[in-house]
Amino acid sequence: MTDYSTQKLQCYCCGKASEHSVLMSSNTHGSPDLDQRPPKMHRWTIGSWLQECPYCGYVAPDIDKGDAKARKFLDSDEFRVASLDPSPDPVTRRFLVRAAQRAYQGERRLAFLSTLSAAWVADDANQPTEAASLRLRAARHLEGPRITSIDTRLLLLDVLRRASSWEAAEALTVELTAEELGYPFAEIVAFHRDKIAARDDGRYTIGQALEGKPPPPTAAEDQELIKAIARHIKIVPNPRRK
């Protein structure tokens, strides 16, 4: 069940009020994709994950909340460029504006995730070329210092494979395999390795990657470990309101 509420919100940055459709509840039944794209029902709410002030252009999960950094971004050239993004889809553009803000603030992982969300919009619109382009754009946010986070690199691996960036995907697979990861990360990397070898850029879920590969008996008996694994592989936050 998905419920929305229309609310009048005062923009944190400019102080003007406007009406917005606010997501109140949804469900996440089913396995997310390997890039953490939510299953149906919840992913269909993606248009409400970000709000945009129609007066100043501030984009945020809740435009009535913010900080000094958000106001500073609105005065930047980066904001003006992002606001003029030629994407005809307003939901895509909101995610790209949000990504630009995160990048401006030095939060490259969050910029990566926001751009990846824009790719999900293209997925649902059946625009594979645009989705691949946005995935490569997301990957560029992670260029620079080496990423040590396993969850972020697993997301990046799926992004590179889905964008048919085979050489980069293969290199990341080799890097992750050499680390001798435990369950379920090693199984997910092995799944990607097989798909990359077959030049398969299709969409797959975490459930599909782990099908027929149950946790080792010792891990299955350790409920706290199982909970920790579940938290670790589900890293993209849900919408901010319930």
Side-chain angles (χ1 to χ4, degrees), residues 57-239:
Y58 175 47
V59 173
D62 302 273
I63 62 166
D64 55 347
K65 298 178 177 62
D67 53 28
K69 292 189 296 184
R71 287 183 172 141
K72 182 178 179 182
F73 173 67
L74 292 190
D75 292 328
S76 70
D77 290 337
E78 287 83 352
F79 169 70
R80 284 184 282 275
V81 170
S83 296
L84 295 174
D85 190 281
S87 173
D89 189 295
V91 179
T92 297
R93 191 182 56 77
R94 286 200 295 271
F95 279 114
L96 294 178
V97 170
R98 186 65 169 174
Q101 179 182 344
R102 294 304 198 181
Y104 178 78
Q105 295 169 349
E107 299 169 329
R108 59 179 183 149
R109 179 178 175 277
L110 294 177
F112 164 76
L113 293 177
S114 290
T115 309
L116 178 56
S117 293
W120 296 344
V121 177
D123 287 335
D124 279 334
N126 195 25
Q127 298 173 332
T129 301
E130 176 68 7
S133 176
L134 287 166
R135 283 183 165 87
L136 291 176
R137 186 168 172 177
R140 286 195 289 272
H141 284 296
L142 297 181
E143 293 175 350
R146 180 180 180 275
I147 305 163
T148 59
S149 165
I150 294 173
D151 52 14
T152 301
R153 284 184 291 160
L154 285 177
L155 279 180
L156 177 59
L157 180 56
D158 190 71
V159 163
L160 294 172
R161 182 184 61 80
R162 295 288 304 281
S164 301
S165 185
W166 304 119
E167 184 176 341
E170 287 171 346
L172 184 52
T173 300
V174 170
E175 175 186 310
L176 288 164
T177 301
E179 295 180 20
E180 299 182 354
L181 303 172
Y183 183 91
F185 313 114
E187 285 73 13
I188 290 174
V189 172
F191 183 86
H192 277 297
R193 185 175 60 242
D194 291 344
K195 298 304 178 185
I196 291 167
R199 294 300 189 255
D200 182 346
D201 61 1
R203 179 185 70 84
Y204 293 96
T205 66
I206 292 175
Q208 288 173 310
L210 298 179
E211 188 175 2
K213 302 171 184 176
T218 54
E221 296 168 3
D222 187 343
Q223 294 303 312
E224 290 305 312
L225 177 58
I226 295 298
K227 291 177 183 178
I229 288 173
R231 287 195 298 270
H232 198 55
I233 63 176
K234 188 172 183 179
I235 64 172
V236 177
N238 291 336

Side-chain angles (χ1 to χ4, degrees), residues 1-5 22-30 38-49 234 237-242:
M1 184 68 178
T2 300
D3 293 312
Y4 294 90
S5 172
V22 177
L23 177 65
M24 305 303 292
S25 66
S26 186
N27 71 67
T28 56
H29 296 312
K40 290 180 180 180
M41 187 68 78
H42 181 59
R43 82 163 180 260
W44 291 340
T45 68
I46 195 169
S48 65
W49 294 1
K234 188 172 183 179
N238 291 336
R240 67 274 171 281
R241 292 188 179 178
K242 298 295 183 183

